Amino acid sequence: MTVADHRSPTAVRAWFGDVHRRGVVGHNRFALTFDDGPFDGATDAVLDILKAEDAPATFFVIGEYAARWPGTVRRMHEEGHLVANHTWSHWRFGMLCSQRYWREEIRRTDEIIQEIIGRRPLMFRPPMGIRTPMNVQALRATGHACVMWTGRGRDGVNTTKQRILDRLIEPAADGDVILLHDGRDSASRRDPQPTIDALPELIAAYRNKGLQPAPLDQLLELPAYE
Ligand SMILES: [Zn+2]
């Protein structure tokens, strides 16, 4: 099955193609998503917290890092989290590149994920959330859903635990898709500790509002894998 066979109720028509932001509401759920990993140390710390909190999440991994830390990707899968595609190289000037470049970035990442966990992903998030006609066409051709977010911690750069919590807790609502970072793209030198420190309180705040963490395939009613 591909995404084309299964148009999710959360698909929103946007400039030149569908995107997914908020999940299906009415079930009191939200999704935690982590970009730019796996990364040595930081991702394991995030996984430890998710395990202690019994909180399923979704990881948009960079293919190059998945190849470097396959054991961490395997751990994500074995502990009940979803693994999704966030390009091979996360190159920031990719936004200027051809459809062929994007298809290659997507294919290589799908392949390394499949090699590690035995499943080929169908969810994709573009680096920095930047959609271009070229990457949208590549996504359509490869059958991936483009998943964005409703709220983000702005933790891809150096920040503090309190700043992350202040951004996310007050507006917390049913169907939220929260963007955080467990890894780092090649240009950033951020410290992942504020994200790790904020996570237990963030999950507790959502639970206090009666909202439970869920993997993206449940929240978006979309297949995570082929
Ligand atoms: Zn990213």
Side-chain angles (χ1 to χ4, degrees):
M1 183 160 59
T2 73
V3 166
D5 303 324
H6 186 118
R7 193 166 191 277
S8 155
T10 63
V12 176
R13 288 221 191 282
W15 196 43
F16 49 70
D18 285 354
V19 295
H20 302 266
R21 292 196 179 91
R22 182 168 301 284
V24 177
V25 297
H27 301 283
N28 297 320
R29 295 176 304 201
F30 74 103
L32 290 164
T33 70
F34 296 91
D35 285 11
D36 298 356
F39 211 84
D40 202 20
T43 303
D44 278 299
V46 167
L47 286 167
D48 289 345
I49 293 167
L50 296 175
K51 193 177 199 174
E53 298 286 341
D54 195 20
T58 303
F59 290 85
F60 286 86
V61 302
I62 296 175
E64 199 182 333
Y65 293 168
R68 203 179 307 171
W69 292 293
T72 312
V73 177
R74 205 170 300 120
R75 184 179 168 197
M76 291 169 185
H77 180 65
E78 284 170 0
E79 296 187 359
H81 308 295
L82 298 178
V83 183
N85 187 324
H86 193 45
T87 74
W88 179 265
S89 60
H90 205 279
W91 187 44
R92 54 191 50 218
F93 297 109
M95 68 183 86
L96 306 173
C97 292
S98 66
Q99 190 191 150
R100 198 162 132 191
Y101 164 86
W102 285 99
R103 287 175 79 139
E104 192 59 11
E105 285 278 311
I106 294 165
R107 183 192 62 76
R108 286 183 78 187
T109 306
D110 280 349
E111 277 173 10
I112 189 70
I113 293 170
Q114 186 167 27
E115 207 179 297
I116 298 167
I117 68 167
R119 307 293 306 269
R120 198 173 176 94
L122 285 174
M123 290 180 182
F124 175 88
R125 180 177 280 155
M128 284 89 61
I130 297 173
R131 295 163 66 252
T132 71
M134 295 302 126
N135 65 27
V136 170
Q137 279 169 30
L139 287 179
R140 201 176 295 144
T142 55
H144 291 70
C146 186
V147 182
M148 308 300 260
W149 57 83
T150 57
R152 55 176 163 170
R154 287 200 185 276
D155 61 335
V157 293
N158 281 318
T159 183
T160 65
K161 167 189 165 181
Q162 200 53 49
R163 247 183 271 157
I164 295 171
L165 293 173
D166 287 347
R167 288 187 60 81
L168 295 175
I169 287 179
E170 213 272 318
D174 192 9
D176 275 357
V177 175
I178 298 302
L179 164 59
L180 294 166
H181 292 81
D182 64 312
R184 52 185 179 203
D185 73 66
S186 44
S188 135
R189 291 285 172 271
R190 77 181 189 103
D191 173 11
Q193 200 58 45
T195 305
I196 295 161
D197 292 342
L199 199 48
E201 274 176 57
L202 180 65
I203 295 169
Y206 267 91
R207 284 185 165 144
N208 283 340
K209 290 192 180 187
L211 304 168
Q212 295 300 327
L216 268 180
D217 58 348
Q218 290 179 21
L219 201 82
L220 301 178
E221 297 185 1
L222 269 182
Y225 303 111
E226 262 180 33

